[in-house]
Amino acid sequence: MLETLLKERNLPALMTMKDGSPVTAENWCARRRELLDTLAREEYGVMPEKCGETTFREIRRDRIAAGVAVEHLVEVTFPTPDGASFTFPAAIRIPDIASAENPLPAFVYISFGFPKYDPNEELANEGVIIAEFVMNAVAHDGEDHYATLLSPHLFEDGKRPPDGTGKIGMWAFAASRLLDVLLTFDCVDPARIGVVGHSRLGKTALWAGANDERFTHVFSNDSGCSGAAITRKKIGETFPRIANVFPYWFCENMQTVSASIEASESTDFDQHFLLAACAPRKVYVASASEDDWADPTSEFLSCCAASPAWEILGLKGFVTPDRLPEPWDTLAEGNVGYHLRPGTHFLSRHDWIRYIRYIKQ
Ligand code: GCU
Protein backbone atom coordinates (compact mmCIF):
# COMPACT_ATOMS: atom_id res chain seq x y z
CA MET A 1 0.00 0.00 0.00
CA LEU A 2 2.71 2.48 0.95
CA GLU A 3 4.58 1.81 -2.28
CA THR A 4 1.51 2.85 -4.26
CA LEU A 5 1.03 6.00 -2.19
CA LEU A 6 4.68 6.92 -2.71
CA LYS A 7 4.49 6.31 -6.46
CA GLU A 8 1.61 8.79 -6.68
CA ARG A 9 3.94 11.49 -5.32
CA ASN A 10 6.26 11.09 -8.30
CA LEU A 11 9.37 11.93 -6.29
CA PRO A 12 12.81 12.75 -7.70
CA ALA A 13 15.17 9.81 -7.26
CA LEU A 14 17.07 9.86 -3.99
CA MET A 15 19.27 6.90 -4.78
CA THR A 16 20.67 8.12 -8.11
CA MET A 17 23.71 10.39 -8.25
CA LYS A 18 23.48 13.56 -10.35
CA ASP A 19 25.58 11.89 -13.04
CA GLY A 20 23.04 9.06 -13.27
CA SER A 21 25.05 6.39 -11.45
CA PRO A 22 23.42 4.44 -8.63
CA VAL A 23 24.01 5.43 -5.01
CA THR A 24 26.01 2.82 -3.07
CA ALA A 25 27.50 2.56 0.41
CA GLU A 26 30.80 3.71 -1.12
CA ASN A 27 29.53 6.92 -2.68
CA TRP A 28 26.99 7.80 0.05
CA CYS A 29 29.15 10.67 1.39
CA ALA A 30 29.28 12.22 -2.07
CA ARG A 31 25.52 11.77 -2.48
CA ARG A 32 24.89 13.39 0.90
CA ARG A 33 27.00 16.37 -0.26
CA GLU A 34 24.87 16.62 -3.43
CA LEU A 35 21.66 16.60 -1.36
CA LEU A 36 22.93 19.33 0.97
CA ASP A 37 24.21 21.46 -1.93
CA THR A 38 20.87 21.24 -3.73
CA LEU A 39 18.86 22.11 -0.62
CA ALA A 40 21.23 25.00 0.16
CA ARG A 41 21.11 26.44 -3.36
CA GLU A 42 17.36 26.05 -3.94
CA GLU A 43 15.75 26.36 -0.54
CA TYR A 44 17.54 27.35 2.67
CA GLY A 45 20.64 29.13 1.36
CA VAL A 46 24.28 28.30 2.01
CA MET A 47 25.12 27.86 5.70
CA PRO A 48 27.31 30.68 7.14
CA GLU A 49 30.95 29.82 7.61
CA LYS A 50 32.39 29.08 11.02
CA CYS A 51 35.13 31.67 11.44
CA GLY A 52 36.84 30.60 14.66
CA GLU A 53 36.30 29.26 18.13
CA THR A 54 33.01 29.60 20.01
CA THR A 55 33.32 30.78 23.63
CA PHE A 56 30.83 31.20 26.46
CA ARG A 57 30.42 32.97 29.77
CA GLU A 58 28.18 31.94 32.64
CA ILE A 59 25.82 34.70 33.75
CA ARG A 60 23.82 32.93 36.39
CA ARG A 61 23.21 29.55 37.96
CA ASP A 62 19.93 28.30 39.49
CA ARG A 63 18.66 25.08 40.95
CA ILE A 64 15.61 23.83 38.98
CA ALA A 65 13.31 20.82 38.48
CA ALA A 66 12.44 20.40 42.17
CA GLY A 67 16.09 20.61 43.11
CA VAL A 68 17.56 17.78 41.02
CA ALA A 69 19.13 19.81 38.21
CA VAL A 70 21.05 23.04 37.68
CA GLU A 71 20.32 25.64 35.02
CA HIS A 72 23.33 27.56 33.73
CA LEU A 73 22.39 30.77 31.95
CA VAL A 74 25.22 31.51 29.54
CA GLU A 75 26.18 33.89 26.76
CA VAL A 76 27.51 32.18 23.67
CA THR A 77 29.93 34.17 21.48
CA PHE A 78 31.27 33.26 18.05
CA PRO A 79 33.36 35.16 15.48
CA THR A 80 31.47 36.30 12.35
CA PRO A 81 32.59 36.63 8.70
CA ASP A 82 32.79 40.45 8.95
CA GLY A 83 35.63 40.17 11.48
CA ALA A 84 33.35 40.99 14.43
CA SER A 85 31.53 38.58 16.75
CA PHE A 86 27.97 37.75 17.76
CA THR A 87 26.62 36.85 21.20
CA PHE A 88 23.35 35.16 22.14
CA PRO A 89 21.96 33.84 25.45
CA ALA A 90 21.25 30.18 26.15
CA ALA A 91 20.20 28.01 29.08
CA ILE A 92 21.95 24.70 29.76
CA ARG A 93 20.09 22.44 32.21
CA ILE A 94 22.08 19.60 33.71
CA PRO A 95 20.68 16.91 36.04
CA ASP A 96 22.76 16.42 39.20
CA ILE A 97 23.44 12.79 38.29
CA ALA A 98 25.52 13.88 35.26
CA SER A 99 29.30 13.59 35.59
CA ALA A 100 32.37 12.71 33.54
CA GLU A 101 31.92 9.12 34.78
CA ASN A 102 28.19 9.20 33.98
CA PRO A 103 27.88 11.27 30.79
CA LEU A 104 24.27 11.88 29.74
CA PRO A 105 22.52 12.33 26.41
CA ALA A 106 21.70 15.93 25.51
CA PHE A 107 19.31 17.93 23.35
CA VAL A 108 20.00 21.26 21.69
CA TYR A 109 16.53 22.80 21.69
CA ILE A 110 15.76 25.69 19.35
CA SER A 111 12.78 27.41 20.95
CA PHE A 112 10.15 30.08 20.37
CA GLY A 113 10.69 31.61 23.78
CA PHE A 114 8.04 31.22 26.36
CA PRO A 115 6.72 27.71 25.82
CA LYS A 116 3.38 26.67 27.25
CA TYR A 117 5.05 23.46 28.28
CA ASP A 118 8.70 22.90 29.15
CA PRO A 119 9.85 19.38 29.95
CA ASN A 120 12.48 20.26 32.55
CA GLU A 121 11.28 17.84 35.21
CA GLU A 122 10.90 14.92 32.81
CA LEU A 123 14.37 15.59 31.39
CA ALA A 124 15.96 15.86 34.82
CA ASN A 125 14.25 12.71 36.07
CA GLU A 126 15.16 10.77 32.94
CA GLY A 127 18.77 11.97 33.03
CA VAL A 128 18.87 14.09 29.89
CA ILE A 129 20.67 17.44 29.49
CA ILE A 130 19.02 20.24 27.51
CA ALA A 131 20.61 23.36 26.00
CA GLU A 132 18.00 25.85 24.83
CA PHE A 133 18.17 29.12 22.93
CA VAL A 134 15.42 31.36 21.60
CA MET A 135 15.31 31.98 17.85
CA ASN A 136 14.56 35.72 18.13
CA ALA A 137 17.82 36.27 20.02
CA VAL A 138 19.74 35.17 16.90
CA ALA A 139 17.69 36.30 13.91
CA HIS A 140 14.46 38.26 13.98
CA ASP A 141 11.51 36.13 12.85
CA GLY A 142 10.11 38.79 10.55
CA GLU A 143 11.09 41.05 7.66
CA ASP A 144 14.00 43.16 8.97
CA HIS A 145 15.79 43.38 5.60
CA TYR A 146 18.73 41.56 7.16
CA ALA A 147 19.58 44.65 9.20
CA THR A 148 19.35 43.30 12.77
CA LEU A 149 21.05 40.72 15.03
CA LEU A 150 23.20 38.13 13.18
CA SER A 151 22.17 39.11 9.61
CA PRO A 152 24.33 42.24 9.14
CA HIS A 153 27.40 40.24 10.18
CA LEU A 154 26.73 37.94 7.24
CA PHE A 155 25.63 40.32 4.48
CA GLU A 156 27.21 43.69 3.83
CA ASP A 157 24.58 46.47 3.72
CA GLY A 158 21.86 43.82 3.87
CA LYS A 159 22.87 42.62 0.38
CA ARG A 160 22.10 38.94 0.36
CA PRO A 161 23.22 36.87 -2.65
CA PRO A 162 20.55 34.65 -4.30
CA ASP A 163 21.84 31.63 -2.40
CA GLY A 164 22.58 33.56 0.82
CA THR A 165 21.12 31.93 3.92
CA GLY A 166 17.63 32.70 5.18
CA LYS A 167 16.64 32.84 8.85
CA ILE A 168 16.21 29.07 9.10
CA GLY A 169 19.89 28.71 8.22
CA MET A 170 20.86 31.34 10.79
CA TRP A 171 18.96 29.59 13.57
CA ALA A 172 20.46 26.27 12.48
CA PHE A 173 23.94 27.81 12.55
CA ALA A 174 23.32 29.06 16.10
CA ALA A 175 22.25 25.53 17.11
CA SER A 176 25.67 24.33 16.00
CA ARG A 177 27.40 27.08 17.97
CA LEU A 178 25.47 26.07 21.09
CA LEU A 179 26.57 22.51 20.36
CA ASP A 180 30.21 23.76 20.34
CA VAL A 181 29.60 24.92 23.92
CA LEU A 182 27.77 21.78 25.00
CA LEU A 183 30.64 19.61 23.85
CA THR A 184 33.00 21.36 26.28
CA PHE A 185 31.04 19.80 29.19
CA ASP A 186 32.51 16.42 30.10
CA CYS A 187 29.15 15.29 31.51
CA VAL A 188 27.69 15.31 27.96
CA ASP A 189 27.78 12.05 26.00
CA PRO A 190 28.88 13.02 22.45
CA ALA A 191 27.43 9.75 21.09
CA ARG A 192 23.89 10.87 22.01
CA ILE A 193 23.26 14.48 21.05
CA GLY A 194 19.93 15.48 19.55
CA VAL A 195 18.66 18.68 17.98
CA VAL A 196 14.98 19.45 18.54
CA GLY A 197 12.57 22.04 17.18
CA HIS A 198 8.86 22.52 16.58
CA SER A 199 7.14 23.76 13.44
CA ARG A 200 9.33 26.46 11.77
CA LEU A 201 11.96 25.34 14.25
CA GLY A 202 11.32 21.71 13.29
CA LYS A 203 12.37 22.73 9.77
CA THR A 204 15.38 24.39 11.40
CA ALA A 205 16.27 21.31 13.48
CA LEU A 206 16.27 19.20 10.30
CA TRP A 207 18.50 21.66 8.43
CA ALA A 208 20.84 21.95 11.44
CA GLY A 209 21.02 18.19 11.88
CA ALA A 210 21.42 17.46 8.18
CA ASN A 211 24.44 19.78 8.03
CA ASP A 212 26.18 19.15 11.35
CA GLU A 213 27.25 15.54 11.73
CA ARG A 214 27.96 15.98 15.43
CA PHE A 215 24.18 15.80 15.97
CA THR A 216 23.61 12.07 16.32
CA HIS A 217 19.80 12.41 16.55
CA VAL A 218 17.60 14.89 14.67
CA PHE A 219 14.05 15.55 15.92
CA SER A 220 11.47 17.38 13.84
CA ASN A 221 8.16 18.17 15.53
CA ASP A 222 5.21 19.05 13.25
CA SER A 223 7.62 20.67 10.77
CA GLY A 224 5.34 20.41 7.73
CA CYS A 225 6.00 22.38 4.56
CA SER A 226 9.71 22.74 3.74
CA GLY A 227 10.35 20.63 6.82
CA ALA A 228 9.77 16.89 6.87
CA ALA A 229 6.69 16.86 4.60
CA ILE A 230 6.96 15.90 0.97
CA THR A 231 6.06 18.90 -1.20
CA ARG A 232 4.57 17.07 -4.17
CA LYS A 233 0.77 16.76 -3.70
CA LYS A 234 1.02 18.03 -0.14
CA ILE A 235 -2.20 19.32 1.47
CA GLY A 236 -2.36 22.42 3.70
CA GLU A 237 0.59 24.76 3.27
CA THR A 238 2.37 24.74 -0.11
CA PHE A 239 5.76 25.99 -1.35
CA PRO A 240 4.25 29.02 -3.16
CA ARG A 241 2.37 30.00 0.03
CA ILE A 242 5.30 29.60 2.42
CA ALA A 243 7.75 31.39 0.12
CA ASN A 244 5.31 34.27 -0.25
CA VAL A 245 4.41 34.68 3.43
CA PHE A 246 7.82 33.83 4.97
CA PRO A 247 10.39 34.77 2.28
CA TYR A 248 13.05 35.58 4.91
CA TRP A 249 13.12 31.97 6.17
CA PHE A 250 14.66 30.89 2.85
CA CYS A 251 17.15 32.00 0.24
CA GLU A 252 16.14 34.20 -2.66
CA ASN A 253 16.38 31.27 -5.12
CA MET A 254 13.45 29.64 -3.30
CA GLN A 255 11.19 32.28 -4.91
CA THR A 256 11.84 30.73 -8.33
CA VAL A 257 11.39 27.17 -7.08
CA SER A 258 8.04 28.12 -5.57
CA ALA A 259 6.73 30.49 -8.23
CA SER A 260 3.79 28.11 -8.77
CA ILE A 261 2.60 24.67 -7.68
CA GLU A 262 3.84 23.34 -11.06
CA ALA A 263 7.30 24.86 -10.47
CA SER A 264 7.51 23.48 -6.92
CA GLU A 265 6.49 20.02 -8.11
CA SER A 266 9.04 19.83 -10.91
CA THR A 267 12.17 20.56 -8.87
CA ASP A 268 15.07 18.12 -8.77
CA PHE A 269 14.58 17.65 -5.01
CA ASP A 270 11.88 17.02 -2.44
CA GLN A 271 11.92 17.04 1.34
CA HIS A 272 12.87 13.36 1.73
CA PHE A 273 16.33 14.58 0.62
CA LEU A 274 16.51 16.57 3.86
CA LEU A 275 15.76 13.53 6.02
CA ALA A 276 18.15 11.35 4.01
CA ALA A 277 20.98 13.89 4.44
CA CYS A 278 20.98 12.88 8.13
CA ALA A 279 21.95 9.25 7.30
CA PRO A 280 23.60 7.26 8.80
CA ARG A 281 22.61 9.22 11.91
CA LYS A 282 19.11 8.96 13.38
CA VAL A 283 16.22 11.16 12.35
CA TYR A 284 12.81 11.26 14.03
CA VAL A 285 9.68 12.90 12.62
CA ALA A 286 6.61 13.60 14.73
CA SER A 287 3.18 14.60 13.44
CA ALA A 288 -0.10 15.58 15.11
CA SER A 289 -3.28 14.00 13.77
CA GLU A 290 -5.24 17.28 13.49
CA ASP A 291 -2.34 19.25 11.97
CA ASP A 292 -3.62 19.37 8.38
CA TRP A 293 -1.57 22.52 7.64
CA ALA A 294 1.63 20.52 8.18
CA ASP A 295 0.09 17.35 6.63
CA PRO A 296 0.92 14.25 8.72
CA THR A 297 0.57 11.89 5.72
CA SER A 298 3.19 13.81 3.73
CA GLU A 299 5.49 13.85 6.79
CA PHE A 300 5.06 10.09 7.19
CA LEU A 301 5.59 9.30 3.49
CA SER A 302 8.79 11.34 3.61
CA CYS A 303 10.17 8.88 6.19
CA CYS A 304 9.28 5.99 3.85
CA ALA A 305 10.93 7.73 0.90
CA ALA A 306 14.14 8.55 2.83
CA SER A 307 14.57 5.04 4.25
CA PRO A 308 16.69 3.59 1.37
CA ALA A 309 19.55 5.92 2.40
CA TRP A 310 20.00 3.88 5.60
CA GLU A 311 19.27 0.56 3.95
CA ILE A 312 22.05 1.02 1.38
CA LEU A 313 24.43 1.47 4.31
CA GLY A 314 23.30 -1.84 5.79
CA LEU A 315 21.26 -0.16 8.52
CA LYS A 316 17.60 -0.37 9.50
CA GLY A 317 15.78 2.50 7.85
CA PHE A 318 12.13 3.26 8.59
CA VAL A 319 10.35 0.27 10.11
CA THR A 320 6.60 0.52 9.53
CA PRO A 321 3.64 -1.74 8.81
CA ASP A 322 2.37 -1.40 5.25
CA ARG A 323 -0.35 1.13 6.10
CA LEU A 324 -0.69 4.77 7.06
CA PRO A 325 -0.18 5.48 10.78
CA GLU A 326 -2.99 5.90 13.27
CA PRO A 327 -3.04 8.30 16.24
CA TRP A 328 -0.95 6.86 19.13
CA ASP A 329 1.32 4.91 16.73
CA THR A 330 5.02 5.17 17.59
CA LEU A 331 7.44 3.64 15.08
CA ALA A 332 10.83 3.84 16.73
CA GLU A 333 12.57 0.61 15.78
CA GLY A 334 14.72 1.93 12.97
CA ASN A 335 17.17 4.76 12.38
CA VAL A 336 14.22 6.74 11.07
CA GLY A 337 11.60 7.14 13.81
CA TYR A 338 8.07 8.50 13.65
CA HIS A 339 5.03 9.03 15.80
CA LEU A 340 1.53 10.34 15.20
CA ARG A 341 0.23 12.12 18.27
CA PRO A 342 -3.53 12.66 18.57
CA GLY A 343 -4.39 16.35 18.62
CA THR A 344 -3.28 19.69 17.29
CA HIS A 345 -0.07 21.51 16.26
CA PHE A 346 2.07 21.63 19.41
CA LEU A 347 5.28 20.32 21.00
CA SER A 348 3.73 18.39 23.83
CA ARG A 349 4.69 16.13 26.70
CA HIS A 350 3.68 13.16 24.51
CA ASP A 351 6.29 14.25 21.94
CA TRP A 352 9.10 14.96 24.44
CA ILE A 353 8.64 11.63 26.22
CA ARG A 354 9.11 9.81 22.92
CA TYR A 355 12.19 11.90 22.02
CA ILE A 356 13.71 11.09 25.41
CA ARG A 357 13.01 7.37 24.91
CA TYR A 358 14.48 7.40 21.41
CA ILE A 359 17.72 9.09 22.40
CA LYS A 360 18.13 6.72 25.35
CA GLN A 361 17.29 3.47 23.51
C1 GCU B 1 2.98 28.90 10.08
C2 GCU B 1 3.71 28.40 8.87
C3 GCU B 1 4.31 27.02 9.08
C4 GCU B 1 5.10 26.97 10.35
C5 GCU B 1 4.25 27.49 11.51
C6 GCU B 1 5.00 27.62 12.83
O1 GCU B 1 1.81 28.16 10.26
O2 GCU B 1 2.83 28.43 7.78
O3 GCU B 1 5.13 26.66 8.00
O4 GCU B 1 5.57 25.68 10.59
O5 GCU B 1 3.79 28.78 11.20
O6 GCU B 1 6.22 27.73 12.86
O7 GCU B 1 4.32 27.65 13.87
Side-chain angles (χ1 to χ4, degrees), residues 55-314:
T55 55
F56 72 101
R57 185 166 82 88
E58 185 167 299
I59 304 296
R60 190 182 151 156
R61 196 180 279 206
D62 289 304
R63 193 146 273 290
I64 58 156
V68 296
V70 171
E71 177 178 78
H72 305 256
L73 288 177
V74 300
E75 277 180 355
V76 179
T77 300
F78 60 88
T80 47
D82 60 348
S85 66
F86 184 77
T87 298
F88 66 101
I92 304 177
R93 306 186 187 108
I94 306 182
D96 289 347
I97 55 163
S99 68
E101 293 69 44
N102 181 33
L104 299 183
F107 292 127
V108 169
Y109 173 37
I110 315 163
S111 87
F112 282 86
F114 308 100
K116 292 187 197 127
Y117 165 72
D118 227 354
N120 290 332
E121 284 195 45
E122 287 83 350
L123 289 161
N125 295 341
E126 289 294 325
V128 180
I129 293 167
I130 186 164
E132 174 176 354
F133 75 95
V134 174
M135 63 175 176
N136 271 315
V138 173
H140 172 59
D141 188 22
E143 187 55 272
D144 64 353
H145 303 286
Y146 306 100
T148 70
L149 298 163
L150 178 58
S151 300
H153 295 284
L154 305 177
F155 311 121
E156 232 174 282
D157 301 326
K159 280 192 215 94
R160 193 173 68 131
D163 66 352
T165 185
K167 303 288 173 80
I168 285 178
M170 294 184 210
W171 298 322
F173 186 71
S176 285
R177 302 296 64 84
L178 183 51
L179 175 58
D180 297 340
V181 171
L182 202 51
L183 288 171
T184 67
F185 287 72
D186 60 6
C187 60
V188 167
D189 178 358
R192 292 178 297 168
I193 300 208
V195 56
V196 184
H198 167 63
S199 206
R200 69 199 65 183
L201 299 176
K203 313 180 207 299
T204 306
L206 286 171
W207 185 231
N211 278 283
D212 191 335
E213 292 179 284
R214 299 171 304 167
F215 287 118
T216 60
H217 295 64
V218 184
F219 296 90
S220 141
N221 200 82
D222 304 355
S223 61
C225 187
S226 73
I230 281 171
T231 305
R232 283 162 170 80
K233 298 200 165 71
K234 183 186 177 304
I235 61 156
E237 191 171 27
T238 61
F239 256 38
R241 169 78 166 52
I242 203 170
N244 184 35
V245 179
F246 304 103
Y248 44 83
W249 286 353
F250 307 99
C251 69
E252 192 56 39
N253 286 339
M254 167 79 163
Q255 296 299 326
T256 315
V257 168
S258 50
S260 62
I261 292 287
E262 294 70 39
S264 70
E265 298 202 347
S266 52
T267 51
D268 57 355
F269 69 96
D270 208 308
Q271 294 304 113
H272 61 313
F273 281 23
L274 180 60
L275 303 186
C278 298
R281 296 164 296 131
K282 293 177 199 291
V283 64
Y284 192 109
V285 173
S287 308
S289 63
E290 292 173 39
D291 191 6
D292 289 343
W293 190 239
D295 187 358
T297 302
S298 293
E299 292 176 328
F300 171 82
L301 288 177
S302 200
C303 296
C304 303
S307 186
W310 282 264
E311 289 155 19
I312 199 91
L313 299 170

